[in-house]
Amino acid sequence: GENVEQHPSTLSVQEGDSAVIKCTYSDSASNYFPWYKQELGKRPQLIIDIRSNVGEKKDQRIAVTLNKTAKHFSLHITETQPEDSAVYFCAASWSGGSYIPTFGRGTSLIVHP
Amino acid sequence: ETGVTQSPTHLIKTRGQQVTLRCSSQSGHNTVSWYQQALGQGPQFIFQYYREEENGRGNFPPRFSGLQFPNYSSELNVNALELDDSALYLCASSLDTGLGNTIYFGEGSWLTVV
């Protein structure tokens, strides 16, 4: 089955800095990669996703890049704000697996004012 | 809001008891998945239902079972509760389009086993 590794486990930045979270996956058949943000005590919420036919996708201060050859994808947050503080999860899935996502262990992002 | 609703939001059970958690999927979604999230961990896939049939199962023992109803709502049942079953149980619904299912989580049910 799919295995998703996520790094770092904790990331501490100053407000206004950029933050980068990296994930690798093992199954080359994976073709859909969502990212979720989970605030303390709340449900994970989808913030951005990318499919394997695209190398990069951007939505305001958030961007995701995908390198299929190396089997890794990354989340980039620019101009971080305190409200970006949360746990971020990457996931990978594929059609043969009924698109059941396998999640990484999460990155706790702390943005200091 | 995702439109996925779960009940109850919090509950406490004793080891050995049984629990049923409920989920109403987002309107138009035909697929429901259940996840277990322990503190400090990512969501772990339990199983998925598509049109009332189990469509995939994670590495969980048979005492974790489920149902999906004709209206696509779902139940998660856990028998013979163990202390390690204490976790946030998340229901997620999606629409199977064959193009990559985005799943939308409910708020979860916090289960504490004592």
Side-chain angles (χ1 to χ4, degrees), chain A residues 98 100, chain B residues 30-34 45-57 65-75 96:
Chain A
S98 301
I100 297 168
Chain B
N30 56 13
T31 302
V32 172
S33 305
W34 285 91
F45 173 70
I46 303 175
F47 43 59
Q48 181 184 83
Y49 280 85
Y50 171 68
R51 295 186 176 179
E52 303 177 59
E53 297 284 333
E54 187 177 289
N55 190 39
R57 188 178 183 92
S65 63
L67 285 173
Q68 187 181 31
F69 300 100
N71 65 355
Y72 301 132
S73 66
S74 178
E75 286 184 355
D96 186 355

Side-chain angles (χ1 to χ4, degrees), chain B:
Chain B
E1 295 301 320
T2 64
V4 181
T5 59
Q6 293 186 240
S7 63
T9 55
H10 296 80
L11 70 167
I12 300 173
K13 289 287 188 177
T14 302
R15 189 170 50 183
Q17 286 188 314
Q18 178 267 343
V19 67
T20 297
L21 307 177
R22 295 178 175 83
C23 172
S24 294
S25 60
Q26 183 167 320
S27 178
H29 283 185
N30 56 13
T31 302
V32 172
S33 305
W34 285 91
Y35 290 80
Q36 180 195 66
Q37 187 177 24
L39 278 176
Q41 303 292 320
Q44 297 294 310
F45 173 70
I46 303 175
F47 43 59
Q48 181 184 83
Y49 280 85
Y50 171 68
R51 295 186 176 179
E52 303 177 59
E53 297 284 333
E54 187 177 289
N55 190 39
R57 188 178 183 92
N59 189 26
F60 280 82
R63 59 189 185 84
F64 286 77
S65 63
L67 285 173
Q68 187 181 31
F69 300 100
N71 65 355
Y72 301 132
S73 66
S74 178
E75 286 184 355
L76 165 64
N77 298 288
V78 187
N79 294 321
L81 284 167
E82 301 177 358
L83 297 178
D84 285 348
D85 295 334
S86 296
L88 175 66
Y89 287 84
L90 293 162
C91 171
S93 76
S94 60
L95 177 62
D96 186 355
T97 66
L99 297 175
N101 300 348
T102 299
I103 65 170
Y104 297 92
F105 288 99
E107 294 291 346
S109 294
W110 288 95
L111 171 64
T112 301
V113 182
V114 297

Side-chain angles (χ1 to χ4, degrees), chain A residues 32 36 38 43 51 89 99 101, chain B residues 2 37 99-100 102-103 106:
Chain A
Y32 177 61
Y36 288 82
Q38 187 174 28
R43 61 185 170 84
R51 301 182 192 279
F89 294 97
Y99 283 111
Chain B
T2 64
Q37 187 177 24
L99 297 175
T102 299
I103 65 170

